[in-house]
Amino acid sequence: MHLSKITLTHFKNYDQQSAVFSARLNCFVGLNGMGKTNLLDAIYYLCIGKSYFAGNDKNVVQKNSDADFFRLDGHFLRKDKKERIIAKVIPGKRKEIDRNQVVYQRLSEHLGLLPVVIIAPFDVQLALDGSEARRKFLDNTLSQLEPEYLQQLIQYNKLLNQRNALLKRFAEERSFNRPLITTYNAQLVPLGTYIHEQRKEFLANFLPVFQDYYNTIANSQERVTYRYVSKLHDTDFAALLEKNIEKDRILQRTTAGIHRDDIEFKINETPLKRFASQGQLKSFVLALKLGQYQLMRQEKGVAPLLLLDDIFDKLDGNRVTQLVQLLLEREFGQIFITDTDEHRVERIIQAFDMNYKKFRIDNGTILERAVD
């Protein structure tokens, strides 16, 4: 699978720009703030239906212009079939994403068609932030792999929000309707149990893949592992919800469930967030994301797009070489790389005699550059 052409209109700092890509490797070079990351984000948006970097579509529309919308147009080739995806978005109104001139009725129907993995500098927060970041990593992966997972997760979150709102209303009204809460419990249990089992199975299969990538990137210098943390391991979800009803009533929120799950990362048997160097953190996250890529490729039967944003920062020269060699020698599909150093990636790529395209990004302008 690959993206052959993209057109951006009023997307972030782009007015209207187009680019035609190599099916294998594309390098976006330029100074910071010129739009390299924004171009990666446009590709991600076409695949997922939302920005990776902006929490709200209103932050995606081009600033300092009269535009109140943005539009993305991508031409993909997937399993020898052409796919044209167009996203038309006016923030505050219903966004439209159409596939081959047919508008999706539900945006969730699009997720998984064009698998994608993105690696960005702030992804180190996977290890450093709270548990929500690690659950998002799990959910992003499993939602692209299995449509049923996404549907059950959407329904779980909807019911969870309703249950929490009900608990708050009970507190405000100084009342409590236990049978009504029990009704919500009955609906949450099968959804939460399914999600927990899917996460547990995925993480068990994922561990050796992740460790292999880390050993390759870090040249086997450290031992890495993780542990899936969930109260559902040892306690039936229905019993857990029933046990916590009084606690939920007092705290006005649902205190047990898969929305509280976490992953505990370790390096050399110590907590990653407390003892890892910047280079180790970055290598750890790279291994997580590349492992995510491999499992997606196996399950989907197509090579996901791989978007790499400024990944060489804080990696020593040896790890940079190991990483690029890994990307070019293993079975990765189309790759997009951004870098502020125009010659760093080229020097390594040329050693492997690989065809690629180079684009200079200059203040929202995409300029294809001849490869030396």
Side-chain angles (χ1 to χ4, degrees):
M1 184 186 83
H2 71 271
L3 171 64
S4 58
K5 181 181 179 181
I6 191 171
T7 300
L8 305 82
T9 304
H10 299 313
F11 184 87
K12 294 193 172 180
N13 70 325
Y14 290 91
D15 184 13
Q16 186 168 40
Q17 291 285 302
S18 295
V20 176
F21 298 125
S22 161
R24 186 68 178 92
L25 179 62
N26 300 274
C27 302
F28 304 151
V29 299
L31 299 175
N32 287 326
M34 293 294 102
K36 302 185 303 296
T37 299
N38 294 345
L39 185 51
L40 286 189
D41 201 22
I43 297 169
Y44 184 86
Y45 201 110
L46 284 169
C47 295
I48 299 294
K50 64 180 181 180
S51 167
Y52 187 70
F53 299 96
N56 192 302
D57 283 337
K58 69 181 181 181
N59 298 320
V60 176
V61 176
Q62 183 186 18
K63 300 295 189 294
N64 302 320
S65 75
D66 295 329
D68 64 351
F69 75 99
F70 67 87
R71 186 179 190 273
L72 299 172
D73 185 349
H75 295 255
F76 296 82
L77 186 66
R78 181 184 184 276
K79 294 184 176 180
D80 298 322
K81 180 183 177 182
K82 292 181 179 179
E83 300 280 3
R84 186 177 183 184
I85 306 299
I86 299 176
K88 295 170 284 189
V89 183
I90 302 175
K93 298 183 179 180
R94 184 178 184 270
K95 73 173 70 178
E96 281 190 6
I97 297 180
D98 69 62
R99 173 188 180 190
N100 301 326
Q101 299 183 322
V102 177
V103 177
Y104 285 107
Q105 295 304 305
R106 295 185 301 174
L107 296 180
S108 60
E109 296 171 2
H110 180 59
L111 195 60
L113 174 72
L114 305 170
V116 63
V117 172
I118 186 168
I119 307 175
F122 73 74
D123 286 334
V124 295
Q125 300 309 316
L126 256 176
L128 301 176
D129 277 359
S131 59
E132 183 179 0
R134 292 177 284 280
R135 287 194 300 274
K136 282 184 177 179
F137 169 74
L138 277 175
D139 293 338
N140 176 277
T141 307
L142 287 164
S143 293
Q144 292 191 71
L145 288 174
E146 180 53 62
E148 180 63 21
Y149 181 92
L150 176 61
Q151 295 306 320
Q152 298 225 22
L153 181 65
I154 290 171
Q155 186 62 19
Y156 179 93
N157 287 331
K158 179 181 177 181
L159 286 167
L160 179 67
N161 289 335
Q162 291 174 349
R163 188 181 191 270
N164 288 341
L166 195 60
L167 289 166
K168 287 184 175 64
R169 182 160 66 85
F170 288 158
E172 292 168 359
E173 297 176 350
R174 299 178 181 271
S175 64
F176 192 71
N177 187 331
R178 189 184 183 95
L180 185 54
I181 291 295
T182 302
T183 299
Y184 274 99
N185 292 357
Q187 297 177 76
L188 282 170
V189 166
L191 299 169
T193 302
Y194 168 86
I195 293 166
H196 172 256
E197 289 300 319
Q198 292 295 308
R199 288 175 176 176
K200 184 168 67 173
E201 181 180 356
F202 167 77
L203 287 169
N205 294 333
F206 183 66
L207 182 59
V209 178
F210 156 68
Q211 289 174 327
D212 174 60
Y213 274 113
Y214 187 91
N215 291 338
T216 301
I217 296 167
N219 201 22
S220 301
Q221 293 177 5
E222 304 96 13
R223 169 173 164 73
V224 293
T225 189
Y226 57 71
R227 183 174 69 93
Y228 178 27
V229 180
S230 177
K231 289 187 176 180
L232 273 68
H233 291 337
D234 306 313
T235 308
D236 176 77
F237 191 20
L240 198 58
L241 286 170
E242 182 66 26
K243 175 185 175 182
N244 283 25
I245 281 184
E246 183 61 20
K247 182 179 179 181
D248 293 353
R249 184 187 69 79
I250 295 170
L251 297 179
Q252 302 172 39
R253 66 176 188 274
T254 306
T255 56
I258 54 94
H259 59 286
R260 308 281 292 179
D261 288 356
D262 198 358
I263 311 173
E264 184 181 81
F265 295 143
K266 290 188 175 183
I267 184 165
N268 295 329
E269 304 303 326
T270 60
L272 182 72
K273 65 170 65 177
R274 291 175 55 191
F275 295 100
S277 68
Q278 286 294 316
Q280 289 170 330
L281 280 171
K282 194 146 194 177
S283 296
F284 198 99
V285 173
L286 283 169
L288 285 173
K289 292 296 191 84
L290 295 179
Q292 178 190 33
Y293 182 100
Q294 180 170 321
L295 285 187
M296 280 189 187
R297 179 175 185 134
Q298 292 172 358
E299 295 294 324
K300 304 294 291 187
V302 297
L305 303 186
L306 183 59
L307 315 179
L308 306 174
D309 186 31
D310 196 23
I311 61 168
F312 303 123
D313 183 44
K314 295 185 177 66
L315 286 181
D316 60 47
N318 182 58
R319 293 196 192 209
V320 169
T321 302
Q322 292 278 357
L323 175 59
V324 174
Q325 181 176 349
L326 175 68
L327 295 174
L328 299 184
E329 290 186 343
R330 294 202 185 183
E331 294 184 355
F332 287 91
Q334 189 179 31
I335 302 172
F336 298 86
I337 299 178
T338 72
D339 199 0
T340 53
D341 186 336
E342 184 168 347
H343 304 293
R344 173 167 42 190
V345 183
E346 283 188 291
R347 286 193 296 268
I348 302 172
I349 293 170
Q350 288 171 351
F352 293 93
D353 192 26
M354 164 108 18
N355 292 325
Y356 67 99
K357 278 191 172 186
K358 179 173 68 175
F359 301 85
R360 172 165 284 281
I361 312 300
D362 186 8
N363 198 25
T365 301
I366 303 171
L367 303 169
E368 185 173 344
R369 303 295 294 270
V371 175
D372 298 332

